[in-house]
Amino acid sequence: MHTYRFAYTSNAGIAIKFPSALIWVDAIHDIKAPTYSTVTPEIKEHILKDPDYVGEYMQGPDAMAFSHCHIDHFTSDIVRSAMKRWPNSEVILPEKYFPNEIYIKGDTDDIKVKDVDLKFFKTHHCTKRHHNKTHYSLLMHDGNANIFMPMDSSTSDPAMYYRAVNTNIDIAVVDFVWTLLPKGREVIMNDINPKHLLIYHLPFAEDDMHDWRGQTREAVKLLNTIDDIRILDTPFQKEDITV
């Protein structure tokens, strides 16, 4: 059995500490989108000193991966700064911003980071006006655990559904909006059916204009087939999951 640590940044941003690698997913952005939160200067200062975010020797993550380039997931300037600080960190992007990035393309793309296989698969963004935005969901496997991240995918996306029902998912990391919708809860329980569930993309308390945090806490009570459910919504929050 291995333990995986999920360290939260903001919105859909997490640093995942595998036994062999440290991988960021949508972890850094500093432009505040309406109704959401972002990585503040205070959060950034903390991250740069915390080994759970930047490694035991402050060497930075092995990879910084991004599902899509909306401002609540990615900011080019802060990523450029991170690349200068940690030149050995791979940057994985679905759009071309930097000459030395790993560019995700096609319906699926497989990338290896140390012992972790990252399978990106193209899915539709959940918001109809963004359906043409290049967006990828992510399945990660390190020889022990399968970690499934639909990202901002539609709950009805066929590629997302195919991966969900054809994979034995140990840990799923899912947008809070899915928990508020009957269809989303159905997909989580019946199709993804994870052993452990993390809910994220919530605003911090001071930015929660619509009581999404409270609504989410009520909605997860309906996910009664999943024993381990955790909500990521607090700066510097960390969750350990053993698989």
Side-chain angles (χ1 to χ4, degrees):
M1 298 181 78
H2 299 298
T3 297
Y4 302 82
R5 174 162 289 179
F6 296 79
Y8 189 52
T9 61
S10 176
N11 291 346
I14 48 176
I16 307 174
K17 197 172 187 179
F18 291 83
S20 70
L22 177 61
I23 298 175
W24 289 5
V25 182
D26 290 1
I28 46 173
H29 43 81
D30 60 0
I31 299 174
K32 191 177 182 308
T35 73
Y36 289 108
S37 303
T38 194
V39 175
T40 64
E42 293 76 19
I43 293 174
K44 180 181 176 183
E45 182 180 0
H46 177 98
I47 286 172
L48 293 176
K49 298 176 182 177
D50 188 330
D52 287 326
Y53 293 95
V54 297
E56 183 178 356
Y57 303 104
M58 308 298 155
Q59 74 274 18
D62 295 294
M64 295 177 274
F66 297 89
S67 62
H68 60 302
C69 295
H70 281 163
I71 62 170
D72 57 328
H73 292 255
F74 166 83
T75 307
S76 59
D77 287 348
I78 195 173
V79 174
R80 186 178 290 107
S81 175
M83 294 171 74
K84 289 179 180 177
R85 178 182 288 268
W86 303 304
N88 293 324
S89 297
E90 302 283 7
V91 174
I92 305 170
L93 275 167
E95 296 184 25
K96 291 185 177 180
Y97 275 85
F98 313 109
N100 53 339
E101 71 179 49
I102 297 175
Y103 174 51
I104 313 168
K105 53 188 180 297
D107 290 335
T108 63
D109 208 344
D110 296 286
I111 297 166
K112 185 97 169 180
V113 178
K114 291 191 172 179
D115 290 337
V116 184
D117 292 309
L118 286 75
K119 180 176 286 295
F120 293 87
F121 51 101
K122 188 176 285 187
T123 52
H124 290 104
H125 194 281
C126 59
T127 309
K128 285 186 177 180
R129 70 178 183 274
H130 295 312
H131 268 202
N132 292 327
K133 180 73 172 177
T134 303
H135 175 277
Y136 284 85
S137 300
L138 177 61
L139 176 64
M140 292 181 280
H141 181 69
D142 67 344
N144 177 65
N146 286 313
I147 300 175
F148 186 71
M149 302 181 70
M151 312 310 295
D152 282 4
S153 166
S154 164
T155 57
S156 301
D157 186 273
M160 183 282 302
Y161 176 82
Y162 175 83
R163 297 291 173 189
V165 300
N166 287 285
T167 307
N168 182 18
I169 297 168
D170 298 292
I171 304 168
V173 191
V174 176
D175 193 308
F176 80 94
V177 173
W178 287 33
T179 71
L180 304 182
L181 304 172
K183 172 66 175 179
R185 294 192 296 269
E186 179 185 337
V187 170
I188 291 170
M189 289 190 290
N190 297 336
D191 302 324
I192 301 175
N193 189 28
K195 298 180 180 70
H196 308 270
L197 177 65
L198 292 171
I199 307 295
Y200 70 167
H201 212 319
L202 283 154
F204 297 144
E206 62 271 20
D207 298 320
D208 190 10
M209 302 167 55
H210 306 289
D211 191 33
W212 284 337
R213 296 158 64 91
Q215 292 180 56
T216 298
R217 280 165 171 76
E218 289 301 311
V220 298
K221 295 176 183 178
L222 301 173
L223 299 173
N224 50 27
T225 63
I226 302 171
D227 293 331
D228 182 25
I229 303 176
R230 315 192 198 180
I231 297 172
L232 293 169
D233 63 359
T234 305
F236 321 128
Q237 183 178 351
K238 300 172 185 178
E239 298 291 340
D240 288 346
I241 296 177
T242 300
V243 177

